[in-house]
Amino acid sequence: MSRYVLKRLVMLIPVLIGVTFLVYFIISLSPGDTAAMLAGEDADAATIEALRHELGLDQPVIVQYAKYMLNLLQGDMGNSYKTGRPVTNMIVSCFPNTAKLAFWSILVAVGIALPIGVISATKQYSMFDNVGMVVALIGVATPNFWLGLMMIILFSLNLGWLPSGGNKGWSSYIMPAITLGTGDAALITRMTRSSMLEVIRADYIRTARAKGVPENKVVYQHALRNALIPVVTAIGLQFGSLLGGATLTETVFAWPGIGRSTVDSIKTKDTTQVLGNIVVLTITFSCVNLLVDILYAFIDPRIKAQYKK
Amino acid sequence: MAQKNPKDLILDIKDLVIHYETDDGTVEAVNGIDIQLEYGKTLGLVGETGSGKTTTALSVLRLVPDPPGVIKNGSIFLDGKDIMNLPQKELEAVRGHLASMIFQDPMTSLNPVFTVGDQISEVIALHENCSKAEADQKAGDMLEVVGIPRERFGEYPHQFSGGMKQRVVIAMALACNPKLLLADEPTTALDVTIQAQVLETMKGLREKYGSAMIMITHDLGIIAEVCDEVSVVYAGQIVEHGTLVDVFNHTRHPYTEGLFGSLPNIEIKRNRLSPIPGLMPDPTDLPKGCCFAPRCKYATPECEKARPGKKWLSDTHYVRCSRYDEPNFKIEREDQ
Amino acid sequence: MAATKAAPKKRSQFEEVWRRLKKNKMAMIGLAIVVFLVLLAVFADFLFDYEQVVIKQNTAIRLQGPSAEHWFGTDEFGRDILARLVHGGRISLVVGVIAVAIALVLGGTLGAISGFFGGKVDMLISRAMDILLAVPSLLLSITIVSALGPSIINLMIAIAVSSVPGYARIVRSSVMTVRDNEFVEAAKAIGANDAQIIASHILPNCLAPIIVQVSLKVASAILSTSGLSFLGLGVKAPTPEWGSMLSGGRAYLRNAPHLTVFPGLCIMLTILSMNLLGDGLRDALDPKLKQ
């Protein structure tokens, strides 16, 4: 097992190199002259040229990238074009907010999705199932940034119960976590249900019943563990994208997270900050996906056996 | 006709009717099956795929999937218990303990995420008042009984071959010494060489524990080897029932005759097999009269008018064929 | 189990799929809404004049609530919200469909090459796709749009690129399962070249999963479009787009919530209908998957 994890970690390296290069390359396509922008409107051509040389922007992209990576390995992502302070400062202050929000959101999602998905599957075509699935369908279709706005209208502006933005303690988590969590819950519910439905018809479930296993044990031990395999993937992917893609919700709730920082940096053309944020988010996303793969092995011995090979 | 004494019966099924109600129509899977099986005896249910044998066996443990399966009529008494009206809790106590089932496909009938040992031990822990350690101990014993080394207790189903898996399923079914064993084509999915081994194991164990058994198969050879009585099932009805000797040596129903006719027999030299012409009728649209009539070479227009009732030929032997109302009717197959 | 069914009457595959789809009420509701939205988009100009109604500002009637004259009210510049929504739908649908088409062509080609040739080519393409998949797709789109600059074309490219790996994977795996079939061997034996085999034998056989994926992906492309526009990275004012309308309405949440309510409902309805249709198509195309 540990050999497998090690192997996967080694395999992660080329992916991370590829990803960082991809991001670096795309951002280097940005229109506009970074050096000219940084030098200010009054700067003459020579000053701009000197700055360009100083920043290394006159070198080929691949060289710039190599330098960037060398620095990155030493924990240096350069300085923000806007504030002049190290890019890492911003990331260190924003990332925990994003991570905490992602954690609470996925908790909301799993807390809603697993029970509803399982009950829907065991009581297929019942009233509960029908209502649950319609709600889940609508949930999947609801853009979460819009849901966030609707909640602000209701709970902040009309009822005044909850703060509409920022991170001012636990009450600030409620709306963003529900916004993100319910969207993911809808998806995970549908997945849990269909996975459960497939498993519950399996021969080995009939075997369990024929052994006299009580129905709730049949569902929660024999079936759920098998049904969880694809669901864990879904949860892992959702968690990964929460860490990386909560951009919209963070913007809606003015959440001081890394997603909003990215959008703000894009607007102020703070390229180094954008690059740093995206690199960190992408690395996190890849690592979460790896963790999910490893988690598989603990649920499904067949996969564990494959890993050992 | 001789009614068996109800006290001697492990299983007493009367006029069982089961339908599968789907969007595409109602499948009439079981249409009035009666089974009277005495303690320790073995009954063979023989018939083609889709004749309702498996559904009948599942109904004994109330395992017919619902929906779409609906038990429309009939009574099932297992060891004197009214299975049709048993509460869920008591039903769970019966399953795996009083009666247990061996399924057709060993590749899919074990849970892939639990060790084989745990799967056997679970049934013991459920039904016998004992600790987890004792259950594990006994599960290990059961593995050895079916010829699997105890050391493999902690392995997962994917590490076993098909034949080995079926042994595990058998160990699981026999772990609590059930009074009735329902074996649903236990060897069909296995290689021919493994089939004989598994069958031997089953026979030996059944004798050791004295369980009654219903052996479902389409293989007349297996029936001849293990059964005391035989019911021939066609389109959800028992068309001929009797002791092994009754059915094999004094065959009366044209369908049973057809089954024997489609077997290669090395003793009787024939030039070619004589398969039964045609197909099983569509179970969503069964004929009004005798279901076998459309394929029967003895059929008369009368046969298509009404379902034939039971015609008792001796104390142990009955047949559903209206032609026997004619005193001189005989099928071609000679008594052996 | 007991059911051996008589062979159903032979129908063409298309008729069979349509028959099954027709039986699915939810899918038919979805289809009806999709058709309705497409018709609105096609006839948008007949319903509301772009220059006079959709773009032209009229501050005298700004931020009015729903009324008989303006069903969904007016926005911060006094423009009719319904008219803007109808024209916005046209943009959403066009961007969604074109983005998916680009992704399908790129991803499909890569996947087909990868699956058909296998070996090193497959390795190379698969690794490249892994890298694209390693970036969360919205983030990738944001990165691309921010680099290329906000415009409808760049929006389509950004959304397309982030969904290329999905198609590549589907087509690759379908091609790999079909590749070793005997009819492909037969085609090779009579001298068809690789491109002919891929185009005429392999692609038609992986059509089903692609159709399903397309119907679901158009929906998520529309969602991404509105999301990016909401962030100010998509369609620029005064062009009506659902996401940018939402974004514009944010300043008036307290006094004129209808500015944000209606565009959101539009997005929701569109996605919902496409998902219903997509789910229905999946069930109809592959009855084995149906639950």
Side-chain angles (χ1 to χ4, degrees):
Chain A
M1 221 17 225
S2 55
R3 271 189 61 196
Y4 170 77
V5 175
L6 210 70
K7 207 174 111 195
R8 283 296 307 265
L9 280 173
V10 172
M11 275 165 62
L12 193 60
I13 295 171
V15 171
L16 290 182
I17 294 177
V19 165
T20 47
F21 181 72
L22 178 75
V23 171
Y24 196 94
F25 177 73
I26 294 173
I27 288 182
S28 74
L29 293 176
S30 298
D33 188 335
T34 315
M37 194 186 81
L38 286 174
E41 281 175 21
D42 305 331
D44 55 45
T47 323
I48 294 174
E49 208 47 49
L51 187 62
R52 195 192 311 281
H53 185 71
E54 192 192 319
L55 292 172
L57 292 173
D58 52 351
Q59 285 166 320
V61 176
I62 187 86
V63 177
Q64 291 183 40
Y65 169 72
K67 280 188 179 166
Y68 181 80
M69 281 309 281
L70 278 176
N71 290 331
L72 180 65
L73 288 176
Q74 293 154 19
D76 178 10
M77 294 184 168
N79 293 334
S80 159
Y81 286 164
K82 195 177 103 195
T83 61
R85 286 186 305 196
V87 163
T88 40
N89 283 12
M90 189 63 154
I91 294 173
V92 166
S93 75
C94 287
F95 191 75
N97 283 325
T98 295
K100 277 187 253 173
L101 182 56
F103 173 78
W104 287 112
S105 306
I106 208 76
L107 218 63
V108 168
V110 172
I112 298 175
L114 282 190
I116 297 185
V118 170
I119 296 172
S120 276
T122 49
K123 299 196 157 73
Q124 194 185 7
Y125 303 133
S126 68
M127 197 60 186
F128 182 96
D129 181 33
N130 289 335
V131 172
M133 284 311 107
V134 169
V135 172
L137 263 169
I138 293 173
V140 171
T142 309
N144 56 20
F145 52 100
W146 178 70
L147 181 66
L149 291 174
M150 293 301 108
M151 293 215 302
I152 290 177
I153 292 178
L154 184 61
F155 295 111
S156 303
L157 301 179
N158 286 328
L159 299 170
W161 291 351
L162 296 167
S164 67
N167 185 356
K168 309 179 183 85
W170 64 269
S171 63
S172 292
Y173 281 91
I174 296 177
M175 286 201 294
I178 290 177
T179 302
L180 289 169
T182 47
D184 289 347
L187 211 100
I188 299 170
T189 307
R190 277 160 58 89
M191 183 132 225
T192 308
R193 176 178 179 270
S194 65
S195 176
M196 250 335 243
L197 280 176
E198 208 178 296
V199 169
I200 211 93
R201 285 181 176 76
D203 284 354
Y204 54 81
I205 294 303
R206 190 176 60 182
T207 309
R209 291 207 177 102
K211 287 200 298 193
V213 178
E215 192 57 28
N216 61 357
K217 258 179 103 182
V218 169
V219 172
Y220 290 99
Q221 276 182 13
H222 287 257
L224 190 58
R225 184 138 171 223
N226 282 284
L228 270 184
I229 296 166
V231 175
V232 166
T233 332
I235 295 174
L237 286 176
Q238 291 309 311
F239 187 64
S241 58
L242 279 178
L243 283 175
T247 322
L248 286 160
T249 307
E250 288 189 0
T251 305
V252 168
F253 290 102
W255 187 258
I258 202 159
R260 195 178 69 124
S261 153
T262 310
V263 174
D264 289 348
S265 307
I266 288 173
K267 285 183 180 159
T268 56
K269 299 209 184 300
D270 189 350
T271 318
T272 38
Q273 188 70 53
V274 174
L275 186 61
N277 286 359
I278 292 179
V279 165
V280 167
L281 289 177
T282 307
I283 292 174
T284 316
F285 186 65
S286 302
C287 292
V288 171
N289 286 352
L290 173 62
L291 277 178
V292 171
D293 275 1
I294 293 169
L295 200 61
Y296 270 171
F298 288 94
I299 307 179
D300 190 342
R302 287 163 298 182
I303 295 173
K304 196 171 188 172
Q306 278 175 20
Y307 286 177
K308 279 187 180 145
K309 274 175 202 160
Chain B
M1 65 176 272
Q3 266 298 352
K4 291 172 184 168
N5 185 348
K7 276 189 186 161
D8 298 334
L9 296 180
I10 171 71
L11 182 64
D12 189 0
I13 298 180
K14 286 208 180 82
D15 199 21
L16 186 67
V17 178
I18 302 174
H19 290 176
Y20 291 105
E21 294 174 348
T22 70
D23 293 344
D24 299 323
T26 298
V27 176
E28 299 176 32
V30 176
N31 305 300
I33 277 185
D34 303 303
I35 291 175
Q36 269 90 38
L37 181 63
E38 286 164 293
Y39 287 98
K41 289 283 172 62
T42 297
L43 168 72
L45 282 185
V46 63
E48 290 164 71
T49 308
S51 57
K53 299 166 297 184
T54 302
T55 304
T56 306
L58 287 172
S59 71
V60 174
L61 295 175
R62 287 281 301 280
L63 284 174
V64 177
D66 170 23
V70 186
I71 300 179
K72 304 291 269 193
N73 187 36
S75 66
I76 301 170
F77 283 86
L78 178 66
D79 199 32
K81 288 189 163 66
D82 183 1
I83 294 293
M84 294 296 295
N85 297 310
L86 219 52
Q88 179 72 19
K89 266 226 128 62
E90 290 177 48
L91 211 52
E92 282 162 3
V94 165
R95 292 174 182 163
H97 187 40
L98 189 57
S100 59
M101 189 153 177
I102 299 171
F103 294 99
Q104 180 171 356
D105 188 355
M107 305 312 283
T108 55
S109 49
L110 290 172
N111 195 324
V113 302
F114 297 118
T115 65
V116 294
D118 281 342
Q119 295 190 52
I120 301 172
S121 153
E122 181 180 29
V123 68
I124 300 167
L126 276 170
H127 298 297
E128 292 177 10
N129 243 334
C130 65
S131 67
K132 171 87 173 92
E134 285 171 288
D136 283 354
Q137 178 65 28
K138 201 173 167 206
D141 297 343
M142 284 312 296
L143 275 177
E144 286 186 335
V145 166
V146 294
I148 296 174
R150 186 183 283 273
E151 292 73 51
R152 303 196 67 178
F153 184 97
E155 290 184 20
Y156 289 94
H158 70 267
Q159 293 163 294
F160 285 73
S161 67
M164 294 288 255
K165 279 186 199 167
Q166 195 61 309
R167 285 164 190 272
V168 172
V169 174
I170 292 169
M172 218 154 71
L174 290 172
C176 295
N177 303 346
K179 290 185 182 166
L180 175 65
L181 192 59
L182 301 154
D184 182 10
E185 310 216 15
T187 57
T188 307
L190 305 177
D191 289 344
V192 183
T193 45
I194 310 293
Q195 280 188 9
Q197 282 180 20
V198 168
L199 210 59
E200 264 326 294
T201 311
M202 283 184 62
K203 250 174 89 179
L205 291 173
R206 201 191 66 74
E207 277 157 24
K208 186 172 158 196
Y209 293 113
S211 312
M213 178 159 80
I214 291 185
M215 171 62 88
I216 295 173
T217 181
H218 53 249
D219 185 339
L220 289 166
I222 293 178
I223 296 279
E225 208 171 319
V226 298
C227 295
D228 303 306
E229 292 175 41
V230 188
S231 291
V232 180
V233 186
Y234 187 80
Q237 272 202 326
I238 294 176
V239 293
E240 179 164 11
H241 170 86
T243 62
L244 192 61
V245 174
D246 289 336
V247 176
F248 275 58
N249 297 357
H250 309 283
T251 311
R252 287 296 175 268
H253 198 278
Y255 176 64
T256 319
E257 177 188 40
L259 285 180
F260 284 112
S262 30
L263 276 187
N265 191 330
I266 42 173
E267 284 162 37
I268 305 167
K269 284 208 176 132
R270 276 186 307 202
N271 285 335
R272 53 174 64 236
L273 300 174
S274 45
I276 308 171
L279 292 169
M280 279 254 300
D282 177 358
T284 60
D285 185 22
L286 291 178
K288 194 161 67 74
C290 171
C291 292
F292 187 61
R295 301 168 73 183
C296 181
K297 57 183 168 185
Y298 309 104
T300 62
E302 283 300 306
C303 290
E304 283 163 24
K305 285 186 179 149
R307 294 262 170 95
K310 280 185 198 171
K311 175 104 184 161
W312 286 90
L313 306 167
S314 73
D315 279 354
T316 53
H317 193 180
Y318 73 78
V319 61
R320 280 183 197 270
C321 178
S322 7
R323 291 297 308 270
Y324 283 97
D325 294 342
E326 303 161 30
N328 295 322
F329 178 71
K330 260 187 78 139
I331 56 169
E332 284 164 14
R333 184 176 157 95
E334 302 282 335
D335 285 357
Q336 324 257 311
Chain C
M1 232 178 299
T4 36
K5 293 223 58 180
K9 278 169 235 136
K10 281 224 166 132
R11 293 191 184 87
S12 80
Q13 209 188 346
F14 177 79
E15 277 174 280
E16 183 60 27
V17 168
W18 175 240
R19 188 187 66 88
R20 285 199 289 254
L21 192 64
K22 262 199 309 198
K23 273 169 63 180
N24 186 336
K25 263 185 243 146
M26 297 293 251
M28 292 320 282
I29 295 174
L31 181 65
I33 301 175
V34 170
V35 169
F36 175 70
L37 291 172
V38 169
L39 288 177
L40 276 188
V42 169
F43 295 107
D45 281 331
F46 292 94
L47 296 167
F48 302 100
D49 184 80
Y50 191 74
E51 292 300 331
Q52 289 303 311
V53 184
V54 178
I55 298 288
K56 197 178 171 195
Q57 305 187 357
N58 182 0
T59 39
I61 53 164
R62 68 193 292 262
L63 298 178
Q64 285 182 354
S67 64
E69 203 184 334
H70 302 285
W71 290 0
F72 288 178
T74 58
D75 70 3
E76 68 271 34
F77 299 112
R79 297 173 295 202
D80 183 72
I81 289 178
L82 178 60
R84 289 180 65 76
L85 287 176
V86 169
H87 279 264
R90 173 187 271 187
I91 291 176
S92 290
L93 285 174
V94 167
V95 172
V97 169
I98 294 183
V100 166
I102 298 172
L104 181 59
V105 171
L106 279 180
T109 312
L110 287 172
I113 293 174
S114 184
F116 189 76
F117 294 106
K120 282 210 177 101
V121 182
D122 177 34
M123 241 276 291
L124 210 69
I125 294 177
S126 295
R127 286 294 85 77
M129 293 301 118
D130 283 350
I131 288 171
L132 275 182
L133 279 173
V135 191
S137 65
L138 184 67
L139 206 61
L140 185 60
S141 303
I142 289 177
T143 316
I144 295 172
V145 181
S146 73
L148 301 180
S151 78
I152 292 191
I153 306 271
N154 292 344
L155 194 63
M156 291 186 219
I157 295 174
I159 293 167
V161 169
S162 64
S163 43
V164 162
Y167 290 106
R169 281 201 167 176
I170 292 175
V171 175
R172 174 176 175 269
S173 67
S174 312
V175 167
M176 283 171 81
T177 43
V178 178
R179 185 181 59 184
D180 301 325
N181 271 336
E182 276 161 27
F183 60 82
V184 174
E185 289 290 312
K188 270 186 200 157
I190 59 168
N193 65 35
D194 290 347
Q196 279 172 333
I197 292 174
I198 291 181
S200 61
H201 293 277
I202 292 184
L203 285 183
N205 276 291
C206 34
L207 217 52
I210 292 175
I211 290 174
V212 173
Q213 186 72 2
V214 163
S215 65
L216 297 172
K217 273 287 165 151
V218 170
S220 66
I222 289 175
L223 193 61
S224 304
T225 308
S226 61
L228 288 169
S229 299
F230 179 75
L231 293 174
L233 294 172
V235 181
K236 284 286 178 198
T239 314
E241 201 282 337
W242 295 340
S244 45
M245 288 171 74
L246 268 176
S247 174
R250 270 185 81 191
Y252 308 94
L253 278 185
R254 189 184 295 272
N255 301 319
H258 64 274
L259 261 61
T260 39
V261 171
F262 292 117
L265 284 176
C266 272
I267 301 174
M268 201 171 92
L269 189 68
T270 309
I271 313 255
L272 182 65
S273 61
M274 288 181 174
N275 284 348
L276 285 175
L277 181 61
D279 283 358
L281 278 173
R282 182 192 55 209
D283 294 346
L285 285 166
D286 192 351
K288 275 174 296 180
L289 291 175
K290 198 181 165 166
Q291 269 126 22

